[in-house]
Amino acid sequence: KAGVTQTPRYLIKTRGQQVTLSCSPISGHRSVSWYQQTPGQGLQFLFEYFSETQRNKGNFPGRFSGRQFSNSRSEMNVSTLELGDSALYLCASSFETLDGLNEKLFFGSGTQLSVL
Amino acid sequence: DQQVKQNSPSLSVQEGRISILNCDYTNSMFDYFLWYKKYPAEGPTFLISISSIKDKNEDGRFTVFLNKSAKHLSLHIVPSQPGDSAVYFCAASPQDNAGNMLTFGGGTRLMVKP
């Protein structure tokens, strides 16, 4: 079974630009979450999507957005990039049972974003 | 407001000895806890979890202990191996539903010396 795939692995952008990151979850997983990892703040939850709907949202500005497609693949977008957006962006997927229980998260290797 | 804290940024242990990684939390609503291990340039990988109805969960060399009254959990690795050298994150969720929002600690870098 293929793992969680994130593309691209590395990105360099300049301030003010926008960026789109992609995530393909493990087959059969319908929940996709996004996390930001920075040296100072650790791993912080961005948002979670389930069946194309945003189900949970972390404490990030509106410049951070995402979506999920019918095949469970997800994208996140950051507009008007700031230097502080430089981070490792991690996508994770999980399998949710019919009674709403989620198994553990499986993470991708992440997209390292550098904003210059 | 850090709801999950790992107060030791790093830990060095000799191969074969026990590694004990600690984690404290403040939110009483957390009742499901997980440990993840992360190597450089890779995503975190799940190690072990524990529900608040238990105080101990064991999986091979890894054991997690939960003290709800103290809002404290710990991960024991016995015996430690050089391949265990990585950053360890504890995470918490308000329900037995890891697909929802996880709150992570800042991580502890474990170095196991041969």
Side-chain angles (χ1 to χ4, degrees):
Chain A
K1 211 178 199 182
V4 177
T5 305
Q6 290 189 247
T7 56
R9 284 298 306 270
Y10 303 95
L11 260 180
I12 300 175
K13 292 284 187 179
T14 56
R15 277 186 301 173
Q17 287 187 308
Q18 67 97 24
V19 67
T20 298
L21 312 180
S22 181
C23 172
S24 293
I26 291 172
S27 178
H29 288 191
R30 292 193 294 160
S31 169
V32 174
S33 306
W34 288 88
Y35 288 81
Q36 181 197 63
Q37 185 185 13
T38 58
Q41 298 294 323
L43 274 154
Q44 291 189 290
F45 173 79
L46 280 155
F47 26 66
E48 183 217 0
Y49 286 87
F50 182 82
S51 292
E52 302 178 66
T53 301
Q54 187 180 87
R55 190 161 64 172
N56 288 292
K57 189 177 189 308
N59 189 24
F60 278 81
R63 300 184 297 107
F64 292 81
S65 63
R67 59 178 176 167
Q68 187 180 32
F69 303 95
S70 58
N71 61 358
S72 293
R73 193 177 69 83
S74 177
E75 288 181 348
M76 69 162 280
N77 184 277
V78 188
S79 62
T80 320
L81 283 165
E82 300 177 0
L83 295 179
D85 297 333
S86 295
L88 179 67
Y89 290 88
L90 291 160
C91 170
S93 72
S94 69
F95 175 78
E96 182 162 315
T97 62
L98 290 175
D99 53 1
L101 287 177
N102 275 269
E103 297 180 344
K104 56 186 179 286
L105 294 181
F106 293 84
F107 283 86
S109 297
T111 294
Q112 183 67 52
L113 172 65
S114 297
V115 182
L116 306 178
Chain B
D1 174 31
Q2 271 192 294
Q3 297 186 63
V4 179
K5 280 187 183 179
Q6 293 176 255
N7 290 318
S8 298
S10 65
L11 174 68
S12 183
V13 169
Q14 206 65 36
E15 181 180 5
R17 305 296 290 268
I18 184 172
S19 295
I20 300 176
L21 296 94
N22 293 304
C23 179
D24 297 294
Y25 63 96
T26 57
N27 190 337
S28 305
M29 299 300 292
F30 289 147
D31 61 8
Y32 187 60
F33 305 89
L34 309 91
W35 284 93
Y36 280 83
K37 173 179 170 180
K38 187 178 185 300
Y39 293 116
E42 293 183 14
T45 54
F46 172 79
L47 264 179
I48 193 169
S49 62
I50 188 167
S51 169
S52 60
I53 61 173
K54 294 184 175 181
D55 55 16
K56 176 182 173 181
N57 190 25
E58 198 170 346
D59 184 2
R61 296 185 298 114
F62 302 92
T63 303
V64 57
F65 295 92
L66 175 63
N67 183 333
K68 279 196 71 177
S69 60
K71 294 191 177 67
H72 177 84
L73 63 153
S74 61
L75 174 69
H76 292 211
I77 307 173
V78 183
S80 302
Q81 299 173 354
D84 295 331
S85 297
V87 178
Y88 289 78
F89 292 94
C90 69
S93 173
Q95 56 190 349
D96 189 2
N97 198 335
N100 285 333
M101 182 173 68
L102 285 182
T103 302
F104 281 85
T108 296
R109 182 177 302 278
L110 173 66
M111 292 163 284
V112 180
K113 298 179 180 177

